[in-house]
Amino acid sequence: MSHSLPESEHLAPMRDSTHDAAQAARTLWQASSANRANGLNGSMSSHLPSDDRRGRIDGAIGANGSIDVIGVIAAIDILDRASTLKQPAPQASHAPYASHASPEQSAKSASPFVQLPNVWPEPSSPALLSSNRRPLPARHDMTASGAESHESPASRLASNADANLNEAQRLAALRRYEILDTPPEPAFDRIARLASYILGAPISLVSLIDETRQWFKAHQGLETTQTPRSMAFCAHAILSDDVLVVPDARADRRFADNPLVTGEPNIRFYAGAPLRTPEGHRLGTLCVIDRRPRTLDDEKRGLLADLSALVVDELELRRVNLVLGDMAMRDSLTGALNRRAFLMQADRLFAAARAQQRRLAVLMLDIDHFKLVNDTWGHAIGDRVIVELTLVLRATLRKGTVIGRLGGEEFCVLLPEADAQRALQASERLLSAISNASVPGPNGPVRFSASIGVGSLAPDDADFGALLQRADRALYTAKQAGRNRVAVL
């Protein structure tokens, strides 16, 4: 049973053969060229045809009898597609549609003021040989969380690697501020209150994004202190330097099913300005939230961005103060705590151990015959010996152990949760590690040794000074016994 296409009002009936279909299209094209040559007052469309116009052959002829060139091209397109259905699939080596006129001939017959679309593409793959239509350009939906990507696998891998590297650098920058999980601070709370008041939003947050969560350094109008990163609007805001505005979260497919939208705090409006460091890392946002849909004009976007810059200024000031404070508490040569800072830390640990009835031990160390080292090799070598001893202490003891340089070649170490026996074992490990240490000298390696005194918390110790004096007496005992050994009192 055969099926034929319906006859057009203006065209001869299309036949089953490829020749007749192509001939009908050429007849229309020639008629269009003749009318233009005779000066007919028909008009040609200067824009691309709509979808409806592409699908109608009779749209090629206007109401006043003029020929619409764009419509003719659409007619040729449809006729050729119809004729292709009747033909065997062409091979990749064959030139497609040899019956068509060349692009150069078509250009000559067109108006000099109209650029006709090219309907004779060179096929880029065998799949395109079944049609003379160009593939439609890729659509990029910028309302989604990410535009559709048509990159090659290699390009995507490179892009992912760059993104991972940037994220690692961003997280490292965040950790350098040492602010996560710290108590509230008035400077950040004030900025959050200002943002809420100026922008008329019931909720405002100073939000910081780490690997798995968003944590709030300041929060106004919201009791919680963190949420999973997967729910965080701010995780989207840190992808750009611009202020992110979501007028209605329920109408935004990125957030419509977010538990923070469908449940408490019922977010409808969100605006977040990234917290961008001087190095360009976006650590989080200053954001405002409302439970009703609304917009944010350019002036208020600018104000939110200004307030976020104030948050970054506070972060920088806080970091500088931490650095300066740390410098004031550190020995400049070794980086260990200086005497004042060590005793402050020791007093806190002593008080906690007494209150909670926990154990605490102290090691006092002294480099043996250190004056002889300086006199023989010079103070530069002596300084290197002190630095090397500090490195041995850090490498041998548990990470985070409190180490202080009390003066000259004398060091002190705090061992929480350690009694005299465990402190003795730690001291023996230290002596073994020190015996294997050396520093370069003019005539070869310069080796050194140390003596250690151990003191542990006793029930009648009134303050840390009593414990420290006991460890100091034990150190004197070790030196009197011949040095390079441990003594416990």
Side-chain angles (χ1 to χ4, degrees), residues 199-209 214 216 222 227 229 231-240 242-252 254-255 258 260-261 265-275 283-297 300-301 304 308:
L199 301 176
I203 300 172
S204 60
L205 308 167
V206 175
S207 171
L208 299 168
I209 306 294
Q214 68 169 344
F216 306 137
L222 194 67
T227 71
R229 181 171 177 171
M231 296 182 186
F233 283 58
C234 298
H236 294 263
I238 65 171
L239 300 178
S240 169
D242 299 328
V243 175
L244 173 65
V245 178
V246 180
D248 187 354
R250 291 184 187 175
D252 192 312
R254 292 171 295 180
F255 309 109
N258 190 308
L260 302 177
V261 175
N266 298 300
I267 297 174
R268 294 295 297 274
F269 166 81
Y270 169 92
L275 304 176
L283 307 181
T285 71
L286 172 65
C287 66
V288 293
I289 294 170
D290 207 335
R291 295 182 175 89
R292 60 183 179 85
R294 50 178 289 192
T295 59
L296 198 67
D297 59 32
K300 290 188 175 180
R301 289 187 189 216
L304 184 60
S308 73

Side-chain angles (χ1 to χ4, degrees), residues 408-419:
E409 71 277 18
E410 191 174 61
F411 288 80
C412 196
V413 176
L414 292 174
L415 298 178
E417 300 296 335
D419 56 14

Side-chain angles (χ1 to χ4, degrees), residues 52 100 146 161 178 198 266 271 277 353 369 394 412 445:
D52 177 66
H100 281 212
E178 299 181 22
I198 292 173
N266 298 300
T277 70
H369 304 294
R394 288 174 176 158
C412 196

